[in-house]
């Protein structure tokens, strides 16, 4: 079982956002006044940005509007002689979208999709069934050694994978055969399906795994897959 961990944090819900704003406001109102003249050059871009943020924080009030105190703006008139030339460092920070090109195009083979979710590597076997990469264990071979070998044979040797442990995280039975699942995380590289063993591969979320594999297979693996 090969996974790519989330790259970005989960989007904050309305409750989390409101809580963060309230805690930030409490810290702001209870903190000692910031010695602006000591830390910022008069008329600098850094001072101007700080004053804008200070006014935004001071304008917030989380209680009865009638009890809100009058707050005087910290901004002051900046004379032309005090202005400094804006540099590259003064440009606003651009926050990129969580949605990548792979999300837009629906490229399920890309590792650059669903950045806030765990992705699992699934392959399409010789019989046309989708499954996690797997194979047989040879004589005198340990489970984690077999897992590495089968992954390389089925998905190529271009992936750097870290095995979480030498023991399985779960197993399933089908008749007399048992399947043991060894968890690993991809650190670098990409899969390349061996056409003799697997015709396709995908990096997909837990919900997408459920829609891709058979109902019987899903029941065997669902408790091992992360909901994040």
């Amino acid at each position: 079982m090969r996974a790519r961990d989330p790259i970005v944090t989960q989007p904050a819900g309305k409750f989390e956002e409101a809580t963060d704003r309230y805690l930030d406001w409490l810290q702001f109102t209870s903190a000692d006044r910031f010695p602006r003249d000591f830390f910022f050059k008069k008329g600098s871009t850094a001072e101007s940005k700080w004053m804008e943020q200070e006014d935004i924080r001071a304008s917030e009030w989380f209680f009865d509007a009638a009890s809100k105190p009058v707050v005087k703006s910290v901004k002051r008139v900046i004379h032309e002689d005090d202005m400094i030339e804006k540099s590259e460092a003064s440009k606003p920070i651009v926050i990129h979208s969580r949605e990548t090109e792979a999300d837009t195009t629906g490229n399920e083979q890309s590792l650059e999709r669903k950045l806030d979710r765990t992705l699992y590597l699934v392959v399409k076997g010789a019989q046309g069934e989708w499954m996690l990469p797997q194979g047989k264990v040879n004589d005198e071979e340990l489970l984690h050694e077999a897992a590495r070998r089968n992954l390389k044979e089925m998905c190529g040797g271009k992936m750097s994978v870290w095995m979480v442990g030498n023991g399985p995280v779960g197993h399933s039975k089908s008749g007399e055969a048992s399947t043991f699942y060894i968890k690993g995380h991809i650190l670098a590289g990409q899969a390349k399906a061996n056409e003799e063993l697997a015709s396709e591969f995908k990096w997909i979320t837990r919900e997408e795994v459920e829609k891709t594999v058979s109902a019987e297979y899903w029941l065997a693996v669902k408790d091992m897959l992360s909901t994040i």
Side-chain angles (χ1 to χ4, degrees):
M1 182 170 62
R2 304 298 167 261
R4 188 223 66 190
D5 289 334
I7 296 174
V8 299
T9 58
Q10 292 277 304
K14 291 183 179 180
F15 177 77
E16 288 89 347
E17 289 180 351
T19 301
D20 286 343
R21 286 180 58 241
Y22 178 63
L23 292 177
D24 185 56
W25 176 80
L26 281 180
Q27 184 181 25
F28 168 74
T29 55
S30 61
D32 293 332
R33 295 297 89 187
F34 184 74
R36 176 179 64 192
D37 294 333
F38 181 79
F39 286 95
F40 296 121
K41 180 181 178 181
K42 181 180 178 182
S44 67
T45 303
E47 183 192 43
S48 177
K49 287 184 176 180
W50 176 84
M51 289 190 293
E52 289 177 4
Q53 290 299 316
E54 192 78 353
D55 279 353
I56 292 173
R57 293 193 185 108
S59 66
E60 292 185 310
W61 188 250
F62 287 85
F63 304 105
D64 182 20
S67 65
K68 182 179 179 180
V70 178
V71 180
K72 186 177 180 181
S73 173
V74 298
K75 290 183 180 179
R76 63 187 180 195
V77 177
I78 300 177
H79 298 288
E80 193 173 328
D81 295 340
D82 297 328
M83 295 298 292
I84 63 171
E85 184 178 353
K86 290 187 177 181
S87 63
E88 289 292 322
S90 68
K91 290 186 176 180
I93 297 174
V94 178
I95 300 177
H96 293 282
S97 172
R98 287 170 171 264
E99 188 175 273
T100 65
E101 183 180 349
D103 291 317
T104 305
T105 60
N107 182 4
E108 293 183 325
Q109 292 190 341
S110 173
L111 285 161
E112 300 299 322
R113 64 187 300 267
K114 304 287 185 181
L115 298 182
D116 61 342
R117 297 295 308 278
T118 301
L119 298 183
Y120 294 95
L121 175 63
V122 295
V123 295
K124 192 173 185 180
Q127 305 301 320
E129 75 285 10
W130 285 96
M131 58 186 176
L132 300 170
Q134 63 186 51
K136 295 182 178 181
V137 180
N138 294 331
D139 294 339
E140 305 299 326
E141 193 175 35
L142 299 176
L143 285 177
H144 69 279
E145 294 172 341
R148 283 189 177 277
R149 176 182 56 76
N150 282 299
L151 177 66
K152 186 175 181 180
E153 291 175 356
M154 184 172 278
C155 300
K158 299 298 184 181
M159 284 189 292
S160 175
V161 176
W162 171 63
M163 295 295 186
V164 175
N166 294 340
V169 295
H171 84 283
S172 62
K173 290 198 71 174
S174 179
E176 296 298 320
S178 292
T179 302
F180 295 89
Y181 300 89
I182 306 292
K183 189 174 184 179
H185 297 283
I186 182 170
L187 304 178
Q190 176 59 291
K192 184 178 181 181
N194 179 349
E195 294 184 358
E196 294 182 4
L197 301 174
S199 57
E200 296 180 53
F201 74 90
K202 296 180 181 180
W203 290 98
I204 53 180
T205 64
R206 186 182 196 273
E207 294 77 15
E208 291 168 337
V209 171
E210 181 180 7
K211 296 176 182 178
T212 302
V213 302
S214 67
E216 182 182 359
Y217 193 85
W218 169 248
L219 289 175
V221 302
K222 66 184 182 70
D223 293 332
M224 292 179 278
L225 306 183
S226 172
T227 57
I228 299 177

